[in-house]
Amino acid sequence: MSAPPPAIKVLVCEDQALVRAGFVTILSAQPDMEVVGEAADGRAAIRSAQELKPDVVVMDIRMPLLDGIEATRHLAGPDSPNPARILVVTTFNIDEYVYEALRAGASGFMLKDAPAPELINAVRVIAQGESLLAPAVTRTLIGRFAERVRPSTAPAQTESERLKVLTSREQEVFLLISEGLSNAEIANELVISHETVKTYVSRILTKLDLRDRVQAVVLAYRAGLAGGRDRA
């Protein structure tokens, strides 16, 4: 009988004590998670992350001493030798600071008032190496600020022309990525295996010269494709 996988180590960074305690209580109650530390400001978040090496950092944006954006950039930005996987949480569903945190290297974001199962799922998704954009806020957030992102390595052609390199199936997966769905949700939507979805996502990012799913969502909005279908 094989041993169970090690628990997901989580660091909770939030300046409001009651909110922080709530996150800790929810996550500690999961059999596959262990809250290894807490931080009430950005500087403490950096110190704790470097010392404890958590699998996932739950990061608030607005904190004293150093905000969550700068803490995220320090822990997950391009100059970080060992980028942390960071889940940004925010009170607002339209927040430029969240967008900047994603650009700083965060793996995803969600709202503080999201149901507990969504927080739990988000931590698991990010721990598995995937990016997560909450579907409820993806459209408003990325749609508002997408025009600011201009990938420096992108060829000089329109977004729609770039997407022509994708097969019809890859375009289906690309659209679902733009709606904020995780790999597991895409697999369920298209009735294909999780591994097949991972292959498609990797192929799409490579073909489009994109760093991650966040840039894929931005490209979809700039191409006028995201948010084009109604979801229950």
Side-chain angles (χ1 to χ4, degrees), residues 66-115:
L66 190 71
D67 65 33
I69 297 173
E70 289 304 317
T72 295
R73 185 173 291 112
H74 188 94
L75 293 172
D79 296 329
S80 176
N82 297 296
R85 300 203 61 80
I86 297 178
L87 172 65
V88 171
V89 292
T90 179
T91 305
F92 308 101
N93 66 347
I94 301 178
D95 191 338
E96 183 174 2
Y97 295 114
V98 178
Y99 183 79
E100 293 301 327
L102 292 173
R103 294 190 65 189
S107 297
F109 74 91
M110 66 182 301
L111 298 179
K112 286 184 182 179
D113 60 0

Side-chain angles (χ1 to χ4, degrees), residues 129-131 166 169-170 173-174 176-177 181-184 186-187 192 194-208 210-213 216:
E130 299 180 18
S131 298
L166 302 180
R169 191 58 154 175
E170 288 168 350
V173 175
F174 181 76
L176 295 175
I177 292 173
L181 273 66
S182 68
N183 283 4
I186 293 174
I192 56 179
H194 187 272
E195 289 302 314
T196 299
V197 174
K198 289 178 67 176
T199 299
Y200 274 123
V201 172
S202 177
R203 190 180 303 158
I204 289 167
L205 296 181
T206 298
K207 282 187 174 183
L208 297 176
L210 300 173
R211 184 193 67 191
D212 54 26
R213 299 166 77 103

Side-chain angles (χ1 to χ4, degrees), residues 4-218:
I8 300 169
K9 298 188 295 183
V10 183
L11 171 65
V12 177
C13 306
E14 162 65 53
D15 66 322
Q16 297 182 53
L18 288 178
V19 176
R20 187 171 68 250
F23 286 164
V24 170
T25 299
I26 291 169
L27 298 175
S28 297
Q30 307 312 306
D32 60 340
M33 296 182 191
E34 176 189 4
V35 177
V36 295
E38 304 176 35
D41 63 72
R43 291 178 184 172
I46 292 174
R47 289 196 302 270
S48 296
Q50 292 174 333
E51 176 184 349
L52 300 171
K53 295 178 172 54
D55 299 306
V56 177
V57 179
V58 177
M59 181 78 75
D60 185 24
I61 287 292
R62 298 176 179 180
M63 293 189 293
L65 301 184
L66 190 71
D67 65 33
I69 297 173
E70 289 304 317
T72 295
R73 185 173 291 112
H74 188 94
L75 293 172
D79 296 329
S80 176
N82 297 296
R85 300 203 61 80
I86 297 178
L87 172 65
V88 171
V89 292
T90 179
T91 305
F92 308 101
N93 66 347
I94 301 178
D95 191 338
E96 183 174 2
Y97 295 114
V98 178
Y99 183 79
E100 293 301 327
L102 292 173
R103 294 190 65 189
S107 297
F109 74 91
M110 66 182 301
L111 298 179
K112 286 184 182 179
D113 60 0
E118 289 189 16
L119 172 65
I120 295 166
N121 177 67
V123 170
R124 287 176 178 148
V125 166
I126 288 177
Q128 292 169 1
E130 299 180 18
S131 298
L132 182 139
L133 297 171
V137 293
T138 295
R139 295 174 182 170
T140 52
L141 180 66
I142 304 298
R144 179 173 174 179
F145 301 110
E147 70 278 2
R148 301 188 182 188
V149 178
R150 301 287 177 181
S152 58
T153 59
Q157 57 186 166
T158 68
E159 284 76 5
S160 296
E161 289 174 338
R162 289 179 66 187
L163 297 177
K164 290 179 180 179
V165 301
L166 302 180
T167 66
S168 58
R169 191 58 154 175
E170 288 168 350
Q171 289 184 18
E172 284 185 89
V173 175
F174 181 76
L175 181 58
L176 295 175
I177 292 173
S178 77
E179 296 290 341
L181 273 66
S182 68
N183 283 4
E185 291 168 329
I186 293 174
N188 182 65
E189 181 89 9
L190 298 179
V191 195
I192 56 179
S193 72
H194 187 272
E195 289 302 314
T196 299
V197 174
K198 289 178 67 176
T199 299
Y200 274 123
V201 172
S202 177
R203 190 180 303 158
I204 289 167
L205 296 181
T206 298
K207 282 187 174 183
L208 297 176
D209 191 25
L210 300 173
R211 184 193 67 191
D212 54 26
R213 299 166 77 103
V214 173
Q215 288 191 347
V217 172
V218 170

